[in-house]
């Protein structure tokens, strides 16, 4: 009788949309793995040694774990958040100390336990525990995000697993924890703290990907637009300002080409006009007493200094082996042939898909030319076999899942549940952004899986747990939580 | 947090999510729908990554003469999918490449399993055959240029070592340095200096059209990399001397090692029987390899650095030096010898010579009894609590001469040899042993085992009066200022320089004073050769013959050790070989052709275990 009552209570409030999205994504992932990871040398489509069969088993296991989570009382997550956190930290740190027999070094990282045929990546579970711990800490009644002390404590909770994962030499998984800035912002973190943090991170990564000229143009555009938004319109004046800079840069470049035999490069011409533009904007701001412009200018100058500084430190101060270490620290993997082989092949595979794709099991590019085709580069197969239409469907599913999680967070009455839902959304968003970004050549290559789609047992189970805890918390509004207070 | 603020933030976050997805969607759309470059690249099935193999570094001897050269050759590859559907002229292909039809069919069957992958059909295709192959345009087949090793003088098989295809283990250990089909140094110098000799392979990226034919270079070769050839290595070996040593050792088993004492550079390192290094290159490599593996004379066993020989009487030098340093012996000490050493029922025989002798003459005459006394006095010294302690001290000295341990040369195959310790005797004799039990050590017999390299090093130590440089086979590497530091540091023994004079004097007398010693045949007028013979007993067959020598006495230029298994007396076989090599090195001429002839025609009989039985040869 009791069992039955529980069941009714459990499945009543469950968010069916989220479950449906989850199942569709897993199915899409399985199809891609079946196509990309199919081993010609192994006989039979349903042979247990085939990747997709293994992955299907993992998915079943993950779903069972998910059901088990739905069966558990929701207040346990609040109650045991810290225990789970410290447990996961110890488990993760264990790989560093553990002997190589059970924690072998793979691709330079000591981040896996390998017991028999089973490989576990504890960092995946550390993410879940960190999300729980952050939610618990920030949902505390006395917690105030504007107090420096409280902020430090949250930062510690996020930075501790970050440090441990960095020590494992598994930078990709560590960087994921940066996504918590998303949650902190939602909970009211001062935006002037958020913006520079994001700026520095993006600039550092992008300064390696783009030439200085492109970077400068992008910067000017971004800052003009954001300044216009902050000042509430005045689009015309900003447009004139940007056009003025562009025009004078062109004129300067042309003049130098005609009179001084091309003494100035395009980049130098633009730098000179931008400096002029900054001075003019500054004088304008002083005259009219507009503080917003000052803030924008300060940020702009800051990033202008930061980019060459990062570059200069990188190029001249560091030794070659240190450079390599930093590049691999950033997760920017340099392939020995000196060609952007992975990304190039990945782009070719996606590009060859066209509008409607080649059809299931018809993709040749991703199967034969893309490395890590069934793990990190799984999206290639989707792009090649299902074309633009299919890619957009997959993209829509992922986007819907993240927006759904945010919506679930918004409708919570308990801060704990809201913050947790947002954490999950943020982690998914980061994974999707970096994974798809590298697949289409917008981001440096980092070994980060695509949620629910990439081959791999650890990540499949970890993402499922992450999602189902959110669903569980969402399904039981405020029940049990009051009992804890 | 105000409700309004929360609403703004929620909206902004939602906007950010949509923005990120929007950017990615635009990018995907651009790649898939607008930019046709990727599609065309994929349509013709894209890029062909062709490895440009780097030519391996060459090796020259100390005078610049080539020991190892790189020769152009080709691998014939096939991509099964590209073979013409209607078949092709297999007979012509087989004829051009002198390939059997069965082999071609077998390889094609293998290639069918992976139709898209390039697959090796046959390697070591000569340049002429490759040119003829290209005249006929066999669709689906292509050649890849590689380099093969070639040995102009056909010497130094074990010394130079050989190449083989990388094993799974090599690939794993190399961490991405090696790929399947690469060659790697498997032994000798090739293995020790692999990282310098190897060079870096390049890659050439070719674009193919939709029919699979090569269209040209991808992006005008923007991403191509050129192969970087391996570095040239100048060996310390003297090719002329090495060839002569191998010639003299032919048909005998043993090893010759010569070192330049003032630098530690190895001039000769010959192990006999040896093999033609060219036999380890090319299509017959596997057969030749197996053949040698089953040869009872073990030609691939590098005796010069791996064998464990009893040093025999040459070890008396070490005994004398230790005695002098310990103070238990003075050069003037004289001991009687009545046809040997007698003590109770212990007896150690000796040949007939004048008696008693002092140290110098005992070295020259190689008196066994004398060194029995010397050895006993060292280890039974009253200052030690027991013999065990004395022997331990003695072992320390012997180690400092480079015995019983690796010398640290650049030869990775180097072995330790063996010097017995008191623990070993405790175990064997259950603790009850004394100076008489281990007496055979005094004349370099018993448990003692030394490599010819260690013995040559002993000659260098005596020549230098107390120190050596770690022996090495590489003199210079192209593009490197210097070798490893350890090759420039003097390694001192525990014996002071002043104690070497009487020993050197004894070695000099043995050669230069007629009738005073055992080595008089090594006399070279005007060169002050110093030498020490050795005749090591062994349980199977004739005695081993060995000779240790350096010349000239002052400012020595060469130190040499010759070891001939079952060669009889030291003066019979080993001595003339060493003497001839010294003569060639010091004077650039051979004035005693009759001696060369004599060495080559020495009666020499190996124990039956080294004789290959006919039936095993067939297998």
């Amino acid at each position: 009788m009791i069992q039955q009552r529980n069941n009714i209570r459990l499945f009543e409030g469950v968010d069916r949309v989220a479950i449906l999205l989850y199942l569709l994504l897993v199915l899409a992932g399985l199809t891609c793995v079946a196509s990309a990871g199919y081993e010609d040398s192994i006989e039979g489509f349903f042979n247990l040694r085939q990747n997709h069969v293994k992955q299907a088993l993992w998915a079943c296991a993950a779903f069972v774990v998910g059901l088990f989570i739905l069966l558990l009382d929701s207040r346990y997550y609040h109650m045991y958040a810290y225990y789970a956190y410290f447990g996961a930290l110890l488990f993760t740190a264990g790989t560093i100390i553990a002997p190589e027999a059970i924690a072998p070094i793979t691709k330079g990282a000591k981040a896996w336990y390998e017991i028999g045929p089973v490989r576990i990546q504890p960092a995946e579970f550390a993410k879940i525990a960190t999300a729980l711990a952050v939610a618990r800490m920030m949902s505390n009644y006395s917690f105030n995000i504007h107090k420096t002390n409280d902020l430090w404590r949250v930062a510690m909770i996020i930075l501790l697993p970050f440090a441990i994962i960095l020590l494992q030499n598994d930078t990709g998984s560590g960087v994921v924890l940066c996504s918590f800035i998303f949650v902190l912002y939602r909970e009211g973190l001062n935006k002037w703290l958020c913006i520079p943090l994001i700026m520095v991170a993006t600039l550092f990564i992008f300064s390696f990907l783009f030439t200085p000229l492109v970077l400068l143009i992008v910067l000017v555009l971004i800052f003009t637009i954001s300044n216009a938004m902050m000042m509430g319109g005045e689009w015309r004046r900003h447009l004139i300002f940007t056009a003025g800079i562009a025009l004078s840069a062109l004129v300067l470049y042309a003049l130098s080409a005609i009179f001084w035999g091309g003494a100035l490069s395009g980049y130098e011409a633009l730098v000179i006009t931008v400096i002029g533009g900054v001075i003019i904007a500054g004088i304008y701001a002083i005259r009219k007493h507009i503080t917003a412009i000052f803030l924008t200018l300060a940020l702009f100058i800051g990033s202008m200094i930061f980019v060459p500084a990062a570059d200069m430190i990188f190029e001249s101060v560091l030794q070659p082996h240190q450079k390599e270490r930093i590049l691999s620290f950033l997760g920017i993997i340099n392939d020995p042939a000196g060609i952007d082989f992975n990304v190039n092949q990945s782009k070719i595979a996606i590009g060859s898909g066209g509008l409607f794709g080649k059809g299931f099991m018809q993709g040749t590019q991703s199967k034969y030319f893309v490395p890590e085709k069934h793990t990190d580069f799984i999206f290639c197969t989707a792009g090649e076999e299902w074309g633009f239409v299919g890619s957009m469907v997959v993209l829509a599913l992922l986007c819907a899942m993240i927006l759904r999680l945010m919506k679930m967070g918004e409708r919570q009455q308990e801060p704990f549940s809201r913050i947790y839902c947002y954490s999950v959304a943020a982690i998914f968003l980061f994974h999707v952004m970096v994974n798809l970004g590298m697949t289409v050549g917008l981001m440096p290559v980092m070994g980060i899986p695509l949620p629910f789609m990439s081959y791999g047992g650890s990540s499949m189970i970890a993402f499922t747990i992450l999602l189902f805890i959110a669903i569980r918390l969402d399904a039981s509004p405020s029940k049990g939580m009051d009992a804890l207070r | 947090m105000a409700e309004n603020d929360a609403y703004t933030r929620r909206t902004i976050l939602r906007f950010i999510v949509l923005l990120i997805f929007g950017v990615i969607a635009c990018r995907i759309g651009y790649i898939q729908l607008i930019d046709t470059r990727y599609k065309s690249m994929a349509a013709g099935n894209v890029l062909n990554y062709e490895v440009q193999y780097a030519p391996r570094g060459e090796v020259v001897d100390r005078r610049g003469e080539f020991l190892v050269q790189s020769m152009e050759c080709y691998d014939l590859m096939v991509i099964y999918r590209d073979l013409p559907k209607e078949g092709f002229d297999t007979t012509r292909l087989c004829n051009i490449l002198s390939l059997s039809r069965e082999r071609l069919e077998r390889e094609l069957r293998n290639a069918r399993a992976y139709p898209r992958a390039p697959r090796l059909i046959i390697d070591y295709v000569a340049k002429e055959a490759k040119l003829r192959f290209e005249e006929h345009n066999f669709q689906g087949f292509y050649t890849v240029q590689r380099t093969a090793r070639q040995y102009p003088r056909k010497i130094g098989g074990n010394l130079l070592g050989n190449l083989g295809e990388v094993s799974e283990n090599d690939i794993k250990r190399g961490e991405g340095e090696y790929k399947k089909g690469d060659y790697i140094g498997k032994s000798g110098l090739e293995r020790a200096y692999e990282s310098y000799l190897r060079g870096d392979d390049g890659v050439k990226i070719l674009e193919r059209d939709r029919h699979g034919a090569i269209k040209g270079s991808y992006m005008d070769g923007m991403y191509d990399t050129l192969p970087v050839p391996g570095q040239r290595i100048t060996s310390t070996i003297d090719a002329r001397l090495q060839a002569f040593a191998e010639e003299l050792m032919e048909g005998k088993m043993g090893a010759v090692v010569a070192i330049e004492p003032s630098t530690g550079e190895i001039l000769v390192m010959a192990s006999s029987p040896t093999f033609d290094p060219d036999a380890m290159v090319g299509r017959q490599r596997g057969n030749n390899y197996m053949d040698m593996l089953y040869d009872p004379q073990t030609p691939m066993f590098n005796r010069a650095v791996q064998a464990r020989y009893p040093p025999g009487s040459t070890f008396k030098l070490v005994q004398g030096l230790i005695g002098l340093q310990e103070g238990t012996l003075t050069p003037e000490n004289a001991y009687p010898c009545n046809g040997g050493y007698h003590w109770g029922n212990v007896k150690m025989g000796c040949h007939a010579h004048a008696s008693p002798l002092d140290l110098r003459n005992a070295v020259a005459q190689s008196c066994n009894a004398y060194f029995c006394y010397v050895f006993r006095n060292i280890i039974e010294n009253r200052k030690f609590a027991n013999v065990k302690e004395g022997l331990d001290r003695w072992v320390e000295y012997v180690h400092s001469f480079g015995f019983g341990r690796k010398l640290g040369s650049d030869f990775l195959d180097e072995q330790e040899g063996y010097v017995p310790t008191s623990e070993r005797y405790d175990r064997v004799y259950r603790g009850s042993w004394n100076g008489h039990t281990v007496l055979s050590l005094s004349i370099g017999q018993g448990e003692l085992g030394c490599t010819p390299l260690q013995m040559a090093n002993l000659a260098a130590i005596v020549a230098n009066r107390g120190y050596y440089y770690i022996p090495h086979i590489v003199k210079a590497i192209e593009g490197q200022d210097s070798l490893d530091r350890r090759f420039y540091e003097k390694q001192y023994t525990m014996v002071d320089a002043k104690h070497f004079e009487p020993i050197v004097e004894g070695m000099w007398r043995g050669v230069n004073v007629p009738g005073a010693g055992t080595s008089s045949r090594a006399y070279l007028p005007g060169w002050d050769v110093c030498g020490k013979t050795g005749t090591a007993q062994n349980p199977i067959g004739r005695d081993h013959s060995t000779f240790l020598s350096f010349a000239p006495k002052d400012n020595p230029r060469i130190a040499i050790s010759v070891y001939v298994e079952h060669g009889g007396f030291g003066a019979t076989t080993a001595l003339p070989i060493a003497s001839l090599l010294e003569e060639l090195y010091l004077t650039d001429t051979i004035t005693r052709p009759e001696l060369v002839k004599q060495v080559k025609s020495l009666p020499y009989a190996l124990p039956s275990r080294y004789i290959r039985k006919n039936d095993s040869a067939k297998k």
Side-chain angles (χ1 to χ4, degrees), chain A residues 246-268:
Chain A
L247 203 65
S248 36
L250 274 178
V251 169
L252 197 61
Y253 182 63
L255 282 179
S256 90
I258 295 164
F259 294 109
W260 297 294
L264 290 175
S265 71
Y267 177 62
E268 284 161 343

Side-chain angles (χ1 to χ4, degrees), chain A residues 1-20:
Chain A
M1 277 305 284
I2 295 167
Q3 189 69 37
Q4 206 183 358
R5 253 182 60 204
N6 266 342
N7 274 343
I8 289 163
R9 210 209 292 168
L10 277 171
F11 286 106
E12 254 179 8
V14 165
D15 190 289
R16 275 151 225 267
V17 179
I19 300 259
L20 185 69

